[in-house]
Amino acid sequence: MAFETIIYEKKDNVAWITLNRPDKLNAQNDTLRAEVIAALEQANADDEVRVIVLTGAGDRAFSAGADISQFPEWQPLNVVQRSKGTKRPYTVIREIPKPVIAMVNGLALGGGCELAMACDLIIASDKARFGQPEINVGVIPGGGGTQILPRLVGEKKAKEMVFTGDFISAEEAWRLGMVNKVVPADKLREAVEEVIVKLKSKSPAILKLAKIAVNRSLETPLSVGMEIENELFAMCFGTQDQKEGARAFLEKRPPEYKGV
Ligand code: COA
């Protein structure tokens, strides 16, 4: 599929999706949002893709959020319509049973911060900054900034970020548990490649169950989550990869997973 506002590349079983409006700090207009969803679905449908990476073009931004130049066109009814009727990155990324990594190379603001938070893992450059500055343009976050952020950093810090619009450094985001790893900007790709190598060495079938299990922990009371975990744990024993994993351990050799 040809894209206008993103770049889609597949290499060594990894789909790299690059938001590509660097002159606008990769701000998300309707086309870009739709293309990100389409690219994620393409990567999901492709059996050769084991890991998906989202990043931003240029050296300034992952994404500076919603394209504010489109705001004059927005009306309450079509905003509701667009949110309910169309797929949203958070839902799509959570439903994809493959690991999705945000490689945050610069500013991740508003919808950019929300897109990064929707990913399973965030690896950031030390130049990255995170923020929910929607308040400065007269709106509140609309893609998880008031819901996912408090779950990651706690209510008080989330309120501070959402109420003031102030940005936090990559280092602070890491201390708060919002980011998995922070590395010098020139080592970012390498750091992401290292995580990819690790993820590709695991069983895709078991990774899928692991992703479902952790996702559910955010949506259910503990007792229900524990039940779900137990069922998913039991499902592991129906896979060939579980048998291969245990056999390889006992035979003191690396496992050869088939993803089933
Ligand atoms: N929507 C549309 N365009 C945006 C944008 C956004 N969210 N963020 C940046 N841009 C555009 C700027 O308008 C500018 O375009 P221009 O060169 O045609 O004028 C270009 O990207 C570069 O941004 P600029 O503001 O000149 O860079 P800066 O270094 O002075 O400031 C920011 C960087 C991120 C602080 C500033 O761009 C900003 O506040 N952006 C809005 C972030 C935001 O509020 N996001 C949430 C939206 S709900």
Side-chain angles (χ1 to χ4, degrees):
M1 186 187 288
F3 294 112
E4 265 176 57
T5 58
I6 64 157
I7 301 166
Y8 184 93
E9 294 161 296
K10 188 171 89 171
K11 189 165 173 269
D12 300 331
N13 303 99
V14 180
W16 295 83
I17 301 171
T18 305
L19 280 54
N20 191 28
R21 298 182 72 212
D23 52 328
K24 298 288 178 193
L25 304 183
N26 303 316
Q28 302 172 29
N29 59 16
D30 289 344
T31 309
L32 184 139
R33 248 190 303 270
E35 289 188 346
V36 168
I37 302 287
L40 286 164
E41 289 181 336
Q42 182 174 331
N44 187 30
D46 185 339
D47 287 341
E48 288 177 1
V49 171
R50 301 271 307 271
V51 180
I52 301 167
V53 182
L54 277 170
T55 192
D59 58 3
R60 292 201 56 205
F62 175 74
S63 168
D67 187 329
I68 300 166
S69 71
Q70 291 196 318
F71 277 15
E73 301 156 25
W74 290 21
Q75 297 294 329
L77 282 181
N78 53 36
V79 171
V80 169
Q81 189 77 18
R82 109 180 25 228
S83 309
K84 294 225 161 82
T86 59
K87 293 182 181 164
R88 303 170 81 194
Y90 175 74
T91 323
V92 173
I93 291 171
R94 283 176 84 75
E95 284 173 0
I96 288 178
K98 305 179 184 188
V100 183
I101 303 173
M103 179 167 105
V104 179
N105 50 310
L107 295 164
L109 306 177
C113 186
E114 292 169 328
L115 183 61
M117 289 192 293
C119 295
D120 298 309
L121 303 171
I122 303 180
I123 314 288
S125 133
D126 55 1
K127 286 195 196 150
R129 288 196 293 160
F130 296 80
Q132 299 288 164
E134 289 89 342
I135 195 90
N136 296 333
V137 290
V139 290
I140 66 167
T146 67
Q147 302 302 306
I148 312 302
L149 186 61
R151 284 167 162 82
L152 291 177
V153 304
E155 178 199 337
K156 298 291 178 275
K157 190 68 198 182
K159 281 184 174 160
E160 183 188 322
M161 289 173 71
V162 170
F163 291 3
T164 67
D166 288 349
F167 305 164
I168 58 170
S169 66
E171 178 66 27
E172 184 171 5
W174 174 78
R175 262 190 282 116
L176 290 164
M178 200 180 158
V179 160
N180 295 86
K181 196 168 191 178
V182 180
V183 296
D186 62 347
K187 298 271 185 286
L188 182 60
R189 174 92 185 203
E190 199 180 312
V192 171
E193 302 271 10
E194 275 172 25
V195 177
I196 290 170
V197 167
K198 259 187 214 168
L199 294 173
K200 286 202 313 195
S201 73
K202 315 298 176 197
S203 155
I206 305 301
L207 268 181
K208 173 179 175 171
L209 296 175
K211 179 164 173 173
I212 295 170
V214 180
N215 280 353
R216 296 305 298 274
S217 76
L218 295 173
E219 294 154 5
T220 54
L222 182 60
S223 55
V224 177
M226 293 298 281
E227 288 295 324
I228 292 169
E229 184 193 68
N230 193 35
E231 282 164 23
L232 292 167
F233 173 67
M235 280 177 72
C236 296
F237 293 88
T239 66
Q240 291 178 26
D241 281 355
Q242 177 279 320
K243 299 192 188 343
E244 167 62 9
R247 208 166 34 230
F249 175 81
L250 296 172
E251 293 170 5
K252 301 190 189 302
R253 61 170 174 81
E256 284 176 38
Y257 294 123
K258 302 271 188 293
V260 286

